[in-house]
């Protein structure tokens, strides 16, 4: 268990990105720092979420973020998750990409335009990385896979707003418009913010 420096910053004394070794990310994927070793302390007045001193906690969730581009919203895409539970297992996330060469001759994987035919190994979480750091393991109990559209109350909102801005988060209140990025409320009011799923296919090894 990582110790927390309550007398000073209130954050974990070890660097969050070093909690787990041997996690691999590729392409437009990066570790999610928001819950990865972050101390979520009491919130301040007017923050879009509220958390009291008793509700503050040290987060320790291993997850990743996939950076989306404009084409992700125009073209269907295929993703893949491989889940090998228990000791010796792993969690692996794949997306479609294809190789391109830039003007310097560097080969890179192009993602997001719907033309990818190769599986890009975007995230790899091996069981031994969890075991060595915390004694935990890849979950082997029945679990859910959730597909949803989540609009975060703490990401993508402007950090620097004018002093006169009331810092409220209600798109229907004109005085709150200064707390949002331009066009955000207009996008939400269109009602076209949706995640469309064509199909979900589930496979299991015959002898599992």
């Amino acid at each position: 268990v990582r110790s927390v420096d309550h007398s000073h910053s209130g954050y974990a004394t070890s660097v969050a990105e070093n909690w787990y070794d041997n996690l691999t990310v590729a392409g437009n994927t990066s570790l999610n720092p928001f819950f990865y070793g972050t101390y979520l302390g009491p919130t301040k007045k007017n923050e879009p979420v509220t958390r009291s001193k008793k509700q503050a906690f040290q987060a320790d969730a291993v997850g990743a973020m996939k950076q989306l581009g404009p084409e992700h919203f125009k073209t269907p895409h295929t993703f893949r998750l491989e889940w090998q539970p228990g000791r010796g297992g792993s969690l692996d996330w794949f997306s479609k990409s294809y190789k391109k060469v830039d003007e310097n001759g560097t080969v890179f994987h192009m993602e997001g335009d719907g033309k990818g035919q190769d599986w890009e190994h975007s995230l790899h979480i091996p069981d031994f990385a969890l075991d060595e750091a915390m004694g935990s393991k890849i979950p082997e109990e029945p679990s859910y896979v959730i597909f949803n559209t989540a609009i975060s109350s703490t990401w993508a909102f402007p950090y620097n707003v004018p002093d006169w801005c009331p810092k409220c988060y209600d798109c229907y209140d004109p005085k709150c418009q200064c707390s949002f990025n331009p066009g955000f409320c207009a996008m939400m009011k269109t009602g076209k913010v949706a995640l469309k799923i064509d199909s979900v296919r589930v496979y299991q090894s015959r002898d599992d």
Side-chain angles (χ1 to χ4, degrees), residues 102-118:
D102 64 16
E103 62 275 9
N104 299 318
T106 302
V107 177
F108 67 98
H109 290 267
M110 180 68 186
E111 302 178 70
D113 62 3
K115 299 178 182 179
Q117 297 299 317
D118 303 322

Side-chain angles (χ1 to χ4, degrees), residues 40-86:
L40 300 174
T43 51
K44 299 177 182 179
K45 185 179 180 180
N46 293 325
E47 286 194 45
V49 294
T50 58
R51 188 168 45 251
S52 68
K53 188 174 182 180
K54 289 185 177 180
Q55 292 172 321
F57 66 98
Q58 179 75 50
D60 184 23
V62 181
M65 302 176 294
K66 185 71 175 178
Q67 183 67 44
L68 301 181
E71 293 300 326
H72 278 101
F73 299 90
K74 302 175 183 177
T75 310
H77 295 271
T78 304
F79 300 94
R80 179 174 119 220
L81 170 66
E82 292 186 0
W83 175 15
Q84 296 291 331

Side-chain angles (χ1 to χ4, degrees), residues 135-174:
S136 56
K137 60 182 177 181
I138 300 295
E140 55 187 359
E141 64 271 19
S143 302
Y144 292 95
V145 177
I146 300 174
F147 301 87
N148 68 350
T149 300
I151 304 293
S152 173
S153 59
T154 52
W155 287 359
F157 289 100
Y159 284 105
N160 298 315
V161 296
D163 292 336
W164 52 263
C165 181
K167 298 181 180 64
C168 52
Y169 300 90
D170 183 355
C171 279
Y172 292 98
D173 188 339

Side-chain angles (χ1 to χ4, degrees), residues 3-4 32 55 64 74 82 84 86 91 94 114 131 133 139 152 159 169 171 178 184 208:
S3 59
V4 177
N32 183 347
Q55 292 172 321
K74 302 175 183 177
E82 292 186 0
Q84 296 291 331
L91 280 171
F94 299 83
D131 184 25
S152 173
Y159 284 105
Y169 300 90
C171 279
C178 56
F184 178 85
D208 278 354

Side-chain angles (χ1 to χ4, degrees), residues 1-4 12-15 18-20 58 132-134:
V1 177
R2 299 300 191 267
S3 59
V4 177
T13 55
S14 56
V15 180
N18 293 337
W19 281 32
Y20 298 98
Q58 179 75 50
E132 291 177 357
M134 304 293 288

Side-chain angles (χ1 to χ4, degrees), residues 115-131:
K115 299 178 182 179
Q117 297 299 317
D118 303 322
W119 284 114
E120 167 114 352
H121 198 170
S122 300
L123 173 66
H124 174 58
I125 304 176
D127 173 66
F128 71 85
L130 307 183
D131 184 25

Side-chain angles (χ1 to χ4, degrees), residues 27-47:
N28 293 331
T29 303
S30 59
L31 291 174
N32 183 347
F34 192 71
F35 290 111
Y36 187 47
T38 300
Y39 177 70
L40 300 174
T43 51
K44 299 177 182 179
K45 185 179 180 180
N46 293 325
E47 286 194 45

